[in-house]
Amino acid sequence: MTNQETIAPASSESLRGVVERGLAAGRPGERPPSSPLSRFAPIAPIRQRGNARLLAGLIGVLATLMQLRAAPLLAATAAENAPAATTPAAEWVIIPDLTITTSNWGEAQGMELGRAIDGDLSTFYWSGREVRAGDWLELDLGAEYRLNGVRFLMGTFPESARPNDSQDTVRPDDYVYAGQVLVRGASGSWQMVGELTGQAEVEIRFPSRPVRYLRLRVTRNQVYWVQIREIQLLAESAATTGAGAFRPVWLKIRAAEEACARADEARAAAEARWDDVDDRAIDTLLDQARALLSSARAAYDKQADDEAARQATAARTLAERAAALAIESRVAEVRAVWVDRPALLAGPDAVRSLLDRLAALGVNLIFPEIVWRSAAAFPSELAPHDPEYWRWSDVDPLAFITAEAHARGIQVAPWVWTFAAGYYHEFGPLLQQHPDWAELSRDGSPFSPTEWGTAWLNISLPEVRTYVQKLLLEIVTKYDVDGIHLDYIRFNEESHAPFGYSPATLQRFEEETGLDARTIAPGSPAADRWDEWREQLVTGFLQETVEKLRQVRPTLLISAAVVPDPQAARRETHQNWPLWLKQGWLDFVAIMNYTAFPGEFWSRTADAQAAAEPAKVLPGLGIWLLTPERMLDEVASARQLLSPGIVFFAASTLQGEFFQRLADGPFRNRAISPLADPAGAWNAQLAAFLRKWRRSRALGVLPEPIVARLEALARQYEASAASAAMESAPGDEVPVQLLPEVKRTMAAAESELANGTLTEDARTALERLRDDARYLVVLAEFLKASSL
């Protein structure tokens, strides 16, 4: 296919359908005017040709004035003036062999675009970069099928899946807000059948016709890439669509088939990589799933769609449980969650229920979002109070969540917006009180020029630095928290808009360097000095703050949410987090590794670990971008890279299938946190290591020198544990004594791997044994015993 399109003019009748359906669209689907998204929902005029141009413009104006956010039905049928009862049916039909191509593929190829057509994905991205006019997404159905409509479900959540009343999880520019929808047969010209005008959910109807190709073409630039939840093809019925089309229930059968296949693959992969899993339990679940799947196929053939759906759904559930069981569950790791503001706003009962669910997953660390846009979710004597916490009445949210979390064995490190003090192009309450504390961009604006419109505190001002430090000290002195978690401890992204151009900051820079930042040429030595100076503002603040916090609480865990790429963190945000870790100012970082692309998640995590000790880097995973399967893939990637844990963003989305997959799979066993109990975590992992590698399967393939070393290590462990128990010691001495022996075992495995006569089983076993030993060495970093 070429990019050249010949578009046939649309008839004026289609515009009457737009008017009728657009004006008939009711108000219930609208977002309330107070929604933060209302200012970001542009509605473009409808474009048509010929005599319809004036009418199209009028429709656009009316739509804008009325702010019609309910999805309009863009109809183009020949019988639009007929009563609604005579409108032909439009059923969702499945065409499984179609392909999808785009002009803006980017890295979206990792998102399995073809699956968006069948409802399997909750969301996917089709653009690998910001969208520009002329970009297109095209469906090739593989043959002609008779269709009479298409439905686009874009960047929103169905009402049943919304975590709460907050709209924070919905970005308005994630979906096309100006585009044309075109169709054509195997030959002939493109016919425009409707337009997208800023709605998140759109159904377009047209007279039934043979369609081979369907194209969505963007007609206006936008500032974000595009996500589409689902694309549904419509026809009068599956029977009239054409050979190869299926009824929608077929999707459930196919999903069950794929789940069984994935479980088979997962079981084989677990065996190949020497995971410690229950093979018998996996096989039992798979046998049950296959029997149900066979029943579902038979029901489909008999047109018993409801029964087919029930059987297929049950088969898929069992297969997914089997696949999850094929993932090893660690006994020692950090399992952390960002507990976002939407989850906290729901009130004490909801938070108590949330903590019960997190505890059931074995989560052992939470970051509750306690300071947001400079508003405090606790009765601060210093910071403005967040008024949205009205459901809490007289209950102190931070005191409540700390006590309730501790009762469940969960550590608490309050999550604080450090320098960001405004959002959505509005000042938070602190900057409303002190507008002179705002930092400015090079253009003189206090807001970043993105849809988020972030506002920043001016950290060159001593009064600002003192304020933030006092606020952090207030938290750690008034509350029994285990740590503090710093977010937005950086500048705004340089590529979006350079910040640091307020008069106070410019004056201070000139006094200290003799340079005027406003006249610095990009790429010059002076520009490097300007970047270094701003970086030092952030680093100096962190160093001063950590010293003050640890004077009050020496054992406080101090962490930060950071840009994952170390070089981009410095270049874009003047955030030198590898230095912060090296100097010991931070105990660990949570890298914001939010991506739907497995390769990117892997490379970002590996690069971050290369810049610092792996024990101090926890990858942060963005659930809202993922399917449950992709989430498990990213957990597996983090483990293969020997990360001591993972952080999930965020609590409000860690539910449903995501929760269940973790509960059935990698988090089915509780884990000791090396942050809370370093010795206990190391001892538990060492015991699991010995159990795993002294089983008959392992002993049957490992070289004799390795078997002998494992037996010696086991004897030393048993003796050390018995001695510690006799002395009523907590077991701290076990790691101290045995870490050198673990390292020798790891070195022996490396030596054996150099032997060219090993069988394939022996080689893969040795590689995994070596990595399991390496993980023990990573955990030893928490014991400050790496020099042993």
Side-chain angles (χ1 to χ4, degrees), residues 333-340 358 361-367 415 485 590-591 594 601 618-624 626 628 630-636 638-639 645-655 658-659 661-663 666-667:
E333 67 182 346
V334 179
R335 298 177 185 172
V337 176
W338 279 290
V339 180
D340 50 343
L358 296 181
L361 281 182
V363 168
N364 46 43
L365 172 63
I366 58 172
F367 305 129
W415 163 15
H485 185 64
I591 59 171
Y594 311 145
F601 182 87
L618 301 182
L621 183 155
I623 297 173
W624 87 94
L626 304 171
R630 282 289 168 82
M631 175 191 68
L632 294 181
D633 288 344
E634 293 192 356
V635 171
R639 287 181 170 184
I646 198 163
V647 189
F648 292 93
F649 187 87
S652 61
T653 50
L654 185 58
Q655 51 188 317
F658 296 96
F659 174 93
R661 299 294 181 84
L662 291 171
F667 289 3

Side-chain angles (χ1 to χ4, degrees), residues 735-747:
V736 173
Q737 292 178 8
L738 299 186
L739 180 59
E741 187 62 29
V742 169
K743 289 185 174 180
R744 283 191 284 271
T745 302
M746 184 172 68

Side-chain angles (χ1 to χ4, degrees), residues 438-447 497-499 501-503:
E439 187 54 273
L440 301 179
S441 70
R442 186 160 54 195
D443 295 333
S445 171
F447 301 108
F499 270 67
Y501 292 85
S502 66

